[in-house]
Amino acid sequence: LLIMLGTIGCAMNYESRLQFLKQYEGIPIVLIGSEMEGYSNIIFDNRTGLREEVEHMIVKHGATRIGFVSGPVTNGDAMERLQVYKDLLMEHHLPVLEERIVYGNFSEYSQEVVADLLDRNPDLQAIVFANDQMAIGGYTVMKERGIRIGADILVGGFDDADCCLKLIPNLTTVKADAVELGYQAVLDALQCIENPQQQIHSTVASTLLCRKSCGCQGFEFQDIAQYTDIDIEKADTAEQIAEVLNSY
């Protein structure tokens, strides 16, 4: 069984989740996107990409008053991402203020919590959303209030969902590949079937993708160096240029 426990058990406490899993005792289980003691799992690396995103807003764009829209307190990913936000603020000697943190439900229907965050903090310079779906609700609220995203306030998300390129301006986010998560989960499940006593704990990497919602102006030539060994300015054949673009 491949079980997305964080999704179907979003509002359940630890004991309720444990009882839910126990009804499948004897069947190999791999948890997708969450961790429970005694069970194999595969999770996103919530830390690396989100650290890059928060630090990017602080260092590149000079934001010091940053709000955070978290997921539910019962969700492990949400709490880990919230902790990354707090850690980065402390590392840069910025205050961690509870009034700058709100808790959504990981869906696009997050207008109410975003409105509350803005009402309590009209001087925010940036908002980081714990996933891209909640950023959709955030865009709605900010546009209703005439707040220019990427200019008046910087915005970042997490997941690199399809909506990121449909939002205007395009959403800066953390790429965490759900396809890779599912693919690796199947491979891990096969190992669990072959060796039921083995526990497997896998991680899928995450990385920052800068777009216009954080104040960046889109593609810059110097950014391409991290994706390919080819110097874009020296690429003079169709094949070299195609390779650079495919790598990017």
Side-chain angles (χ1 to χ4, degrees), residues 132-150:
D132 297 333
Q133 291 299 316
M134 293 191 295
I136 296 175
Y139 267 57
T140 301
V141 173
M142 286 180 262
K143 288 182 178 179
E144 286 174 351
R145 298 184 177 207
I147 299 171
R148 297 172 301 161
I149 296 167

Side-chain angles (χ1 to χ4, degrees), residues 19 37 55 70 73 86 102 104 160 176 189 191 194 201 213 227:
Q19 288 302 314
E37 188 175 348
E55 192 152 57
S70 173
V73 295
K86 291 179 177 180
V102 292
D160 193 30
Q191 289 190 53
E194 292 170 2
H201 304 286
S213 72
Y227 298 100

Side-chain angles (χ1 to χ4, degrees), residues 71-113:
V73 295
T74 53
N75 183 278
D77 281 338
M79 293 302 97
E80 187 173 12
R81 292 170 196 177
L82 175 59
Q83 191 58 51
V84 170
Y85 158 80
K86 291 179 177 180
D87 290 347
L88 256 293
L89 293 187
M90 288 188 286
E91 285 178 27
H92 287 272
H93 308 291
L94 298 173
V96 177
L97 305 176
E98 284 302 319
E99 59 262 31
R100 291 180 182 168
I101 301 169
V102 292
Y103 299 87
N105 60 6
F106 273 156
S107 82
E108 63 187 87
Y109 305 106
S110 302
Q111 290 95 323
E112 189 175 328
V113 296

Side-chain angles (χ1 to χ4, degrees), residues 5 10 28 43 53 104 139 158 160 175 181 196 198 212 229:
L5 192 59
C10 188
I43 58 174
E53 183 171 62
Y139 267 57
F158 193 107
D160 193 30
K175 181 177 179 60
L181 194 76
Q198 178 185 15
K212 292 190 175 182
D229 294 330

